[in-house]
Every structure is written in structure tokens, then in C-alpha cells.
């Protein structure tokens, strides 16, 4: 080995050391380049994912703001009249039991008549 090659190899090996101080150069292959490429690809994938979520959110989000992955789908609620349901909750326990017993008797009669 001549002096120039030894200096070049030492320079390459010192450049390829990572933050932990471990050399990523094996023979003439510098794996630090590959690691940075993998990190760049991961970053690009995350950017694409965020762009996709932003595009999806802009389709359904009704708020006037910058859409992104943190947009939450609105909770859909029905616009039906729920007065009859609330009437059941407002009844006393005795009335509920009487109504349930009547409903049971009507169901038993329908079953006996084979009216499924």
C-alpha cells in the first residue's frame, strides 16, 4: 500500500462513522450512504401518507381549516324524532313492567297461533 491509498482509506473510514462512533465502511462499501438512503425513503413515505390523509380529509371534513391527518370524522347523528323513545324513559318502573308483561302475553298468543 502506498501512502496516498492509506490516507484515502483513513479519510473514508473517519467520514463514515455515525453518531455512535461505529464505522459503517466494510472494505470499499460505505453503508452510511445506504442508511441515509433508507432514512430518506422513510421520510418520503411519511410525507406521502400525510398527503394522502390530507386529500382524504379534504373530501369529508366540513371545517374551514388546513386539513391533515389529525382531522376527525364528524360523528353522524340521525335527525329522527326521538319523542317516543324518551316517553319510555320517563315512565315509572311499574308502567314499564306492566307494558312488558302485556307485550309478553301478546307474543305468547301470537306464537300459539303460529303467527311468527
Amino acid at each position: 500500500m502506498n501512502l496516498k491509498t492509506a490516507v484515502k482509506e483513513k479519510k473514508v473510514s473517519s467520514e463514515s462513522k455515525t453518531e455512535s462512533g461505529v464505522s459503517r465502511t466494510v472494505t470499499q462499501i460505505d453503508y452510511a450512504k445506504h442508511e441515509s438512503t433508507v432514512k430518506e425513503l422513510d421520510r418520503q413515505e411519511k410525507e406521502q401518507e400525510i398527503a394522502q390523509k390530507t386529500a382524504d380529509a379534504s373530501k369529508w371534513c366540513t371545517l374551514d381549516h388546513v386539513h391533515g391527518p389529525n382531522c376527525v370524522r364528524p360523528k353522524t347523528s340521525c335527525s329522527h324524532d326521538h319523542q317516543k323513545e324518551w316517553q319510555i324513559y320517563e315512565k315509572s318502573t311499574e308502567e314499564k313492567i306492566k307494558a312488558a308483561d302485556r307485550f309478553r302475553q301478546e307474543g305468547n298468543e301470537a306464537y300459539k297461533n303460529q303467527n311468527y
Side-chain angles (χ1 to χ4, degrees):
M1 255 203 229
N2 62 20
L3 185 59
K4 287 183 180 180
T5 0
V7 170
K8 270 188 179 179
E9 287 178 6
K10 189 173 185 178
K11 186 176 182 182
V12 169
S13 66
S14 65
E15 289 175 354
S16 64
K17 289 194 179 206
T18 60
E19 295 83 30
S20 62
V22 178
S23 174
R24 295 292 184 203
T25 304
V26 177
T27 62
Q28 294 179 357
I29 301 173
D30 186 9
Y31 287 103
K33 294 178 187 176
H34 299 294
E35 289 175 354
S36 63
T37 303
V38 169
K39 287 179 185 177
E40 178 64 23
L41 290 173
D42 287 343
R43 187 189 61 77
Q44 288 176 358
E45 286 177 8
K46 286 180 184 177
E47 284 180 0
Q48 287 175 351
E49 182 180 332
I50 289 172
Q52 180 66 32
K53 286 182 180 181
T54 301
D56 290 344
S58 66
K59 293 177 184 174
W60 53 261
C61 188
T62 58
L63 300 175
D64 185 23
H65 65 98
V66 177
H67 301 289
N70 297 331
C71 283
V72 179
R73 245 182 224 283
K75 307 285 187 265
T76 55
S77 62
C78 63
S79 60
H80 297 115
D81 185 19
H82 296 281
Q83 288 181 353
K84 290 184 179 180
E85 293 175 15
W86 280 106
Q87 287 174 358
I88 294 171
Y89 289 111
E90 292 171 354
K91 288 185 178 183
S92 69
T93 305
E94 288 180 22
E95 289 176 317
K96 292 177 188 178
I97 291 173
K98 286 179 185 177
D101 190 43
R102 182 180 52 82
F103 185 73
R104 181 184 56 82
Q105 289 174 355
E106 290 174 3
N108 287 340
E109 287 296 320
Y111 183 76
K112 287 178 186 175
N113 298 332
Q114 295 183 348
N115 185 11
Y116 306 113

